[in-house]
């Protein structure tokens, strides 16, 4: 994680917003600002975690894409109405106090998708 | 591609900006607007193309991340100065008239990264 943070700061001008070790999700996570977007770096706390298993299977790389929504309950209702398979039928607490829910990659052309409703302090512009 | 476009429009409110078949790159490509970001959908024109080989090896999923830059020559000089391995040492013509250059995943924590300098008509707000 330290090496990746250094890399993102040097190479892409990323600005660190938050960093935390989240035991119950098994990750060391860092939220970075790059331009108008955010990039989240994830490192596993042990091999037997979702991110540890991803790394073991695929190696380092892109894990998922997150879209910011204003109203995550409505976004989940709309996604379900469009036939999406929801990993999280209800919003749950994500990293850094965000409210999140994941959509199954089978429903999104092979891409794991996270819907994120920021807390007020995190909202863009 | 048609199914993926329909999915992205319905599920994520994506707005199609451009679509083109680019023979020399072997792709059917669509540029979508989602919020303040863009998502590019790529489908191979045949199996023996970079995107065709990616699909064969990895299946559908995330292929690369692109960052918009104002001055791609300067961005490439800066990346080289930071020790990045450049797939394209000089900018080249990308899809939709963009000027692009790729950075090797080995230099970016396993993520294939594209630098993109938009043409004037494409620049964000």
């Amino acid at each position: 994680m330290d090496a990746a943070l250094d890399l993102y700061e040097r190479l892409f001008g990323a600005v660190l917003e938050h960093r935390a070790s989240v035991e119950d999700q098994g990750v060391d996570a860092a939220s970075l600002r790059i331009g108008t977007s955010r990039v989240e770096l994830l490192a596993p706390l042990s091999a037997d975690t979702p991110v540890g298993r991803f790394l073991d299977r695929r190696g380092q790389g892109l894990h998922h894409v997150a879209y910011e929504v204003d109203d995550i309950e409505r976004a989940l209702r709309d996604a379900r109405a469009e036939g999406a398979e929801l990993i999280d039928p209800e919003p749950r607490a994500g990293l850094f106090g965000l409210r999140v829910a994941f959509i199954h990659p089978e429903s999104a052309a092979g891409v794991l998708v996270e819907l994120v409703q920021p807390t007020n302090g995190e909202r863009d512009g």
Side-chain angles (χ1 to χ4, degrees), chain A:
Chain A
M1 173 60 89
D2 290 330
L5 267 176
D6 178 63
L7 178 77
Y8 269 75
E9 289 170 348
R10 286 189 298 107
L11 206 52
F12 305 126
V15 178
L16 178 64
E17 290 185 309
H18 305 286
R19 180 171 174 184
S21 274
V22 186
E23 289 289 338
D24 68 343
Q25 302 195 27
V27 289
D28 181 9
S31 175
L32 309 178
R33 205 76 214 213
I34 302 182
T36 58
S37 296
R38 286 190 174 91
V39 169
E40 201 170 79
L41 301 177
L42 300 173
L45 295 178
S46 72
D48 187 28
T49 58
V51 171
R53 287 187 290 272
F54 176 89
L55 280 180
D56 189 47
R57 202 170 59 241
R58 305 283 295 255
Q60 290 193 118
L62 295 166
H63 183 265
H64 70 277
V65 167
Y67 296 113
E68 182 177 326
V69 297
D70 291 327
D71 180 340
I72 195 166
E73 277 85 2
R74 194 184 55 184
L76 283 172
R77 275 199 308 276
D78 291 349
R80 191 186 286 111
E82 293 292 351
E85 183 185 340
L86 307 179
I87 293 174
D88 301 300
E90 302 294 333
R92 61 180 175 82
L95 300 169
F96 314 123
L98 302 169
R99 302 184 69 216
V100 309
F102 282 86
I103 296 176
H104 199 285
E106 294 282 329
S107 295
V111 175
L112 177 62
V113 173
E114 182 182 19
L115 303 177
V116 176
Q117 182 178 335
T119 55
N120 287 333
E122 295 292 325
R123 201 172 295 276
D124 283 341

